Amino acid sequence: MSLNVTVVGVGAMGEAIVRGLLASGWETDGVDALVRSPDQAARLAESLGIRADVEPGVVIPGSAVVVIAVKPKNVPDVLHGIAAHLDRDSVVVSVAAGVTLDSIESILVDQAVVRSMPNTPAIVGEGVAGAAVGHHTTDAQLEQAISVLEAVGAVEVLDESVLDAVTAVSGTGPAYVFLLAEALIEAAIREGMSRRVAETFVHQTIRGAGHLLTETGVGAPRLRSQVTSPGGTTAAAVHVLEERGFRALVEDAVRAAAKRARELGAGE
Ligand SMILES: NC(=O)c1ccc[n+]([C@@H]2O[C@H](COP(=O)([O-])OP(=O)(O)OC[C@H]3O[C@@H](n4cnc5c(N)ncnc54)[C@H](OP(=O)(O)O)[C@@H]3O)[C@@H](O)[C@H]2O)c1
């Protein structure tokens, strides 16, 4: 892949994208990073073999796609810092929760912009990202942005109004699954499994259930009913979850995350 990508901010999400790109076969000399500290730049160069620098003038020019992966509150400063170094036809892909296309385009006037919301399974090429297209973005620039996001998972172009929901569902979603895994492992240990055995069974159960969801085309309700015989063990467990308000809890959690995404985008 000859497209040059610069990732600005290599924390949890930025690193997931860099690692995902490299794992998908992107050449190391096609991936650069703009970071804040010379120490981190040196570490990235050593551990991942990519060019990393603290100066926008070194890594931004010549980048076809510039991914902004800093915290929402840092986005305006970062955009002001890179603006003068962007090529006219580069596309800027922001992954910052809540930060709107309008706010990005008010700083990067006339620049191609895509607002996206990926998630950390990008590290293993299993991410999913929603992407909303800016006002000055051509189809070719959108394709370039998508090619970067697709290197690390599935991508769907969506109306921007849905992106806070995407943030709350799939951007945040891995944490819901990991919390479930933690709780299930602790419960398994209390039921007599060793931690090693509990982890093996919980991890593989989540992986297997995920594969069933994505590969059979059978929806969650039917897959669940296949595990649930009347009067059986699953029915007993699901009864407790339903009675204690599991669905309402999930709905409240997703609503809280979407609200927080909107607040972050507003600079709160
Ligand atoms: N984590 C997720 O699962 C996830 C999922 C989807 C989207 N996102 C979005 O991704 C963005 C980053 O989140 P995160 O969880 O990866 O946060 P994070 O781990 O805190 O990473 C942010 C990184 O940005 C760096 N940074 C800050 N200012 C910078 C600057 N001026 N120039 C270069 N680098 C700078 C920070 O460096 P220092 O450490 O030196 O401050 C840090 O390495 C957020 O906007 C978030 O909404 C995250």
Side-chain angles (χ1 to χ4, degrees):
M1 173 58 67
S2 56
L3 208 60
N4 198 288
V5 183
T6 295
V7 178
V8 183
V10 186
M13 194 63 233
E15 185 168 340
I17 293 172
V18 169
R19 286 186 181 277
L21 284 169
L22 297 177
S24 78
W26 223 273
E27 301 291 340
T28 47
D29 59 9
V31 184
D32 293 340
L34 177 63
V35 295
R36 231 185 342 201
S37 80
D39 279 357
Q40 193 192 8
R43 274 200 308 277
L44 285 171
E46 194 184 315
S47 61
L48 299 177
I50 61 171
R51 182 172 65 153
D53 208 285
V54 297
E55 292 296 338
V58 173
V59 282
I60 298 293
S63 295
V65 181
V66 176
V67 179
I68 309 295
V70 299
K71 291 285 188 200
K73 67 174 177 0
N74 297 125
V75 170
D77 279 353
V78 163
L79 296 181
H80 284 294
I82 65 170
H85 304 283
L86 285 165
D87 293 358
R88 269 184 52 184
D89 56 357
S90 298
V91 54
V92 173
V93 180
S94 166
V95 302
V99 178
T100 61
L101 286 167
D102 277 349
S103 70
I104 298 168
E105 289 173 343
S106 71
I107 298 171
L108 303 181
V109 181
D110 292 338
Q111 192 79 36
V113 175
V114 169
R115 175 183 165 193
S116 174
M117 180 43 58
N119 62 3
T120 54
I123 301 173
V124 289
E126 292 282 351
V128 62
V133 188
H135 298 98
H136 312 289
T137 309
T138 64
D139 287 350
Q141 289 166 319
L142 175 62
E143 283 311 312
Q144 292 189 327
I146 288 177
S147 72
V148 170
L149 297 168
E150 263 181 351
V152 295
V155 184
E156 189 145 343
V157 176
L158 297 168
D159 191 88
E160 187 179 17
S161 61
V162 194
L163 279 197
D164 290 328
V166 171
T167 304
V169 172
S170 58
T172 312
Y176 311 151
V177 177
F178 300 143
L179 184 61
L180 176 67
E182 285 176 54
L184 209 45
I185 287 165
E186 293 309 320
I189 291 168
R190 273 194 297 277
E191 287 300 316
M193 285 187 184
S194 70
R195 179 165 293 276
R196 184 196 67 74
V197 172
E199 285 176 355
T200 301
F201 278 73
V202 169
H203 296 177
Q204 186 58 32
T205 298
I206 290 174
R207 181 192 172 103
H211 277 274
L212 281 177
L213 281 167
T214 54
E215 279 159 37
T216 60
V218 177
R222 218 176 117 216
L223 286 169
R224 182 162 66 83
S225 82
Q226 287 170 359
V227 198
T228 315
S229 11
T233 57
T234 313
V238 170
H239 177 74
V240 173
L241 290 172
E242 297 280 24
E243 198 180 53
R244 304 263 176 101
F246 183 72
R247 284 174 201 266
L249 205 57
V250 171
E251 201 178 312
D252 286 353
V254 168
R255 190 178 305 117
K259 177 170 173 281
R260 186 67 191 130
R262 288 189 285 273
E263 290 169 355
L264 287 170
E268 292 172 32

